Amino acid sequence: MPHITVQMYPGRSDETKLMLAQKLAEAASEALGRGIEHFSVSVEDIPQEEWKEKVYDAAADPQNRTVFVRPGYKL
């Protein structure tokens, strides 16, 4: 059962987060050929001052083999 986690800065409404989660679940369902009922999505708000340590450093690390799309920005 795939689970998708989205990490982003705080400030978006629950309605926006729900819309994003639904679209991600739909896209994953289509890409993997599984029913949408097999997917779950969470959204984590990460404060800007914690972003580099909690998210960016791991996502930008070329040795991190779990990240398939790396950030296109530098910190």
Side-chain angles (χ1 to χ4, degrees), residues 60-72:
D61 180 358
Q63 301 302 313
N64 186 341
R65 299 176 79 182
T66 66
V67 178
F68 287 86
V69 179
R70 301 208 184 275

Side-chain angles (χ1 to χ4, degrees), residues 11-32:
R12 292 170 181 91
S13 69
D14 285 348
E15 293 80 16
T16 298
K17 292 175 186 178
L18 177 59
M19 180 184 64
L20 173 62
Q22 290 172 330
K23 288 184 179 207
L24 289 171
E26 290 168 7
S29 171
E30 182 179 321
L32 297 177

Side-chain angles (χ1 to χ4, degrees), residues 28-41:
S29 171
E30 182 179 321
L32 297 177
R34 301 284 303 196
I36 198 164
E37 68 275 8
H38 295 282
F39 295 85
S40 57
V41 180

Side-chain angles (χ1 to χ4, degrees), residues 48-72:
Q48 185 174 357
E49 61 273 9
E50 298 174 15
W51 187 261
K52 184 176 184 315
E53 177 186 344
K54 289 188 173 180
V55 179
Y56 180 83
D57 288 345
D61 180 358
Q63 301 302 313
N64 186 341
R65 299 176 79 182
T66 66
V67 178
F68 287 86
V69 179
R70 301 208 184 275

